[in-house]
């Protein structure tokens, strides 16, 4: 797998997110309270809300528009809601963050 450097862990606040612009659209990179890092498409499957502006809790994010909860691990909507967003593999080496280049070129199934 080919990895592309996107910044450092300290660039993302705990329970927060930052966006990475790619030719395939924006990717939201999240950091949980326990320093786990996840990357998903930055649009809610419901109405396209910016997930990077949502509230991070555990390994999930709540969309700021209509409160859909999305798993950061699977990209699936949780609860009674249905839908999913693409997940992107993230690698952490020390403080440096990397995204899988191949995954950026593919779309969610």
């Amino acid at each position: 797998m080919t990895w592309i450097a996107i910044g450092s862990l300290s660039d993302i606040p705990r329970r927060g997110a930052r966006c990475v612009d790619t030719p395939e659209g924006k990717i939201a990179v999240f950091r949980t309270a326990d320093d786990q890092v996840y990357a998903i498409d930055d649009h809610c499957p419901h109405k396209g809300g910016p997930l990077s502006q949502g509230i991070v809790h555990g390994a999930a994010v709540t969309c700021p528009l209509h409160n859909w909860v999305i798993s950061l691990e699977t990209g699936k909507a949780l609860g009674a809601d249905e839908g999913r967003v693409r997940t992107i593999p993230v690698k952490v080496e020390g403080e440096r963050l990397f995204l899988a280049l191949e995954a950026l070129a593919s779309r969610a199934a």
Side-chain angles (χ1 to χ4, degrees), residues 3-75:
W3 299 91
I4 182 168
I6 59 164
S8 68
L9 186 62
S10 61
D11 292 336
I12 306 172
R14 283 194 173 100
R15 295 186 314 158
R18 293 292 181 259
C19 285
V20 176
D21 287 318
T22 75
E24 297 295 323
K26 285 188 177 186
I27 303 299
V29 182
F30 294 88
R31 180 180 178 185
T32 66
D34 60 353
D35 293 329
Q36 297 297 309
V37 180
Y38 300 96
I40 60 175
D41 282 329
D42 189 31
H43 61 81
C44 181
H46 176 227
K47 297 277 186 176
L51 294 173
S52 61
Q53 295 176 27
I55 297 171
V56 177
H57 45 96
V61 61
T62 297
C63 179
L65 294 185
H66 301 102
N67 295 321
W68 275 41
V69 179
I70 307 297
S71 168
L72 296 173
E73 297 171 320
T74 66

